[in-house]
Amino acid sequence: MLRDDDARPAQPAETSERSQLDPFVVATGDAPPRDQRDLMERPFFSLGKRPRLKPIRYRTADVQVQVFAMPEHGMATIWDADVLIWAASQIVAAENSGFATSRFFRFMPYQLLRAIGRATGNRDYMLLKSALARLQSTVIATTIRNGKHWRRRQFSWINEWEEMTTRAGRVEGMEFVLPEWLYTSVIDRSLVLTIDPAYFRLTGGIERWLYRVARKHAGRQPEGWTFEVSHLHQKSGSLARPSDFALDLRRIAARQPLPGYGLQIEWEDGRELLRFRPGNPSTVPVETPVNPIGTLGARSIGTLGANRATDSIEESNRESNSSSLTRAHAIRGAGATRRGSP
């Protein structure tokens, strides 16, 4: 019989996916933050602080993204996606050091919370568990990275998770299992980009989404990347009116909150454009905890995005960009980070 202070975790059920996987034990949790390309552009997450139940349905060319929420939890948010960024960062750092990794994570909650700029009090642990519940209950269906023939893959951001505690209630660790779709894309280094640690300090959902779009497309190009505002509205999955969305982008451009990128509103032939220009990146680690709920940039703004990968990255960028850039600029913008780069 276990004593009240026995620290041994409960054994997973035989039907658990974890019983078929070797655990990836996170030693420290420290790793340069990295994001997965598919999650940086098209709509996958809610950008609002209020629970979103309305499904996301996005389609362009041969790419489809559908996201469904459970009423009990609501759709996974862009703040919840910090968990996936942390997981991707751990996988890449471990692989770079020659360590074996797995979809089955075993870690201490404070490692994750500190790495993404959160506090480590009881409320923050409760919010982390709520985030894991949303990540598990949100259902994604997409054709991204499913080969030349149209196929739809359906999964959740986390297959299963568990909080390991003693009978006295002391937390001894956490475990979760990533879906194969996400894990294999992180192992492929051409589908991963480094991001600025200051990203975690962004409190607005639309700001976070804009940073990831900027990092995905503008990269380090001196001329940056330009989108038509109406096109950005479509790509974001926002529930706001186009006029409200455009007003919100103007306000964000006036504040210049994105680390490493400047925003500039331009006009061309009656079309409103937003240009992302690379600036000086912030290299300061996250120190001040941020509000894990965040604030809305515009009322009812809705989601985050993803992209096609590897051999079609260049084609995808040209297709997704409604801009005033020349063809040469568009081709340079498709490069981002070469395979094997951090």
Side-chain angles (χ1 to χ4, degrees):
M1 179 179 295
L2 293 178
R3 300 191 305 271
D4 285 350
D5 61 347
D6 197 319
R8 286 181 293 169
Q11 294 300 313
E14 291 184 1
T15 57
S16 170
E17 189 175 8
R18 288 171 294 168
S19 66
Q20 308 299 320
L21 298 169
D22 293 327
F24 171 31
V25 180
V26 178
T28 66
D30 297 328
R34 292 175 169 88
D35 208 347
Q36 203 277 338
R37 285 179 181 266
D38 291 334
L39 309 187
M40 297 177 75
E41 179 188 2
R42 296 194 176 96
F44 274 111
F45 299 94
S46 169
L47 299 188
K49 63 181 180 181
R50 295 180 180 176
R52 173 168 178 164
L53 299 179
K54 182 179 177 63
I56 297 171
R57 292 185 172 89
Y58 176 85
R59 181 171 185 169
T60 178
D62 59 342
V63 169
Q64 292 188 21
V65 173
Q66 297 179 341
V67 185
F68 304 96
M70 295 290 289
E72 293 84 353
H73 302 288
M75 186 177 295
T77 72
I78 197 168
W79 295 276
D80 299 338
D82 289 355
V83 173
L84 305 181
I85 293 175
W86 177 82
S89 306
Q90 296 302 316
I91 291 170
V92 173
E95 295 271 336
N96 285 347
S97 299
F99 295 109
T101 61
S102 166
R103 296 188 292 121
F104 174 17
F105 273 70
R106 181 175 291 164
F107 62 97
M108 295 299 294
Y110 74 84
Q111 296 172 330
L112 191 160
L113 291 170
R114 288 176 61 88
I116 62 176
R118 309 283 176 86
T120 55
N122 183 66
R123 177 176 179 271
D124 301 281
Y125 284 104
M126 297 300 293
L127 290 172
L128 173 58
K129 289 193 287 186
S130 295
L132 293 174
R134 284 188 294 271
L135 289 166
Q136 184 183 24
S137 63
T138 298
V139 176
I140 303 94
T142 183
T143 60
I144 295 174
R145 291 192 292 107
N146 283 341
K148 297 181 179 180
H149 302 290
W150 189 96
R151 290 188 303 160
R152 188 174 80 163
R153 183 80 64 86
Q154 185 165 303
F155 56 91
S156 295
W157 293 122
I158 288 179
N159 289 359
E160 56 178 284
W161 68 278
E162 181 176 332
E163 180 186 41
M164 300 181 292
T165 62
T166 65
R167 289 182 177 177
R170 186 173 67 246
V171 177
E172 297 294 336
M174 280 187 170
E175 298 176 347
F176 62 64
V177 178
L178 295 176
E180 184 72 23
W181 185 90
L182 181 59
Y183 179 74
T184 56
S185 69
V186 174
I187 295 299
D188 184 346
R189 291 294 304 280
S190 70
L191 301 179
V192 180
L193 291 174
T194 57
I195 62 172
D196 197 307
Y199 165 80
F200 296 116
R201 295 200 294 266
L202 293 174
T203 58
I206 186 64
E207 294 170 359
R208 283 175 161 237
W209 181 76
L210 284 173
Y211 172 82
R212 298 172 89 175
V213 171
R215 179 67 185 93
K216 164 66 176 61
H217 287 280
R220 302 287 186 259
Q221 300 174 94
E223 295 299 319
W225 199 271
T226 306
F227 282 98
E228 188 172 351
V229 169
S230 61
H231 190 60
L232 280 175
H233 179 259
Q234 178 188 9
K235 290 166 68 68
S236 72
S238 173
L239 298 177
R241 296 181 302 176
S243 59
D244 290 339
F245 183 83
L247 177 60
D248 203 58
L249 293 189
R250 293 180 208 127
R251 289 171 175 168
I252 293 174
R255 296 199 312 270
Q256 297 295 333
L258 302 191
Y261 294 95
L263 304 177
Q264 181 178 335
I265 296 292
E266 301 177 357
W267 290 87
E268 181 180 277
D269 299 329
R271 297 179 300 140
E272 187 174 14
L273 311 173
L274 180 65
R275 182 183 292 272
F276 302 95
R277 289 185 182 275
N280 295 322
S282 169
T283 58
V284 180
V286 177
E287 295 177 352
T288 304
V290 299
N291 184 341
I293 300 299
T295 57
L296 283 174
R299 291 190 300 273
S300 301
I301 283 184
T303 56
L304 170 73
N307 181 23
R308 229 169 305 166
T310 319
D311 59 350
S312 61
I313 288 175
E314 187 168 308
E315 176 186 354
S316 173
N317 285 352
R318 287 198 299 268
E319 168 268 318
S320 65
N321 182 34
S322 296
S323 75
S324 61
L325 293 178
T326 64
R327 176 175 295 273
H329 288 161
I331 293 175
R332 287 202 302 271
T337 302
R338 292 190 298 273
R339 184 179 182 85
S341 300

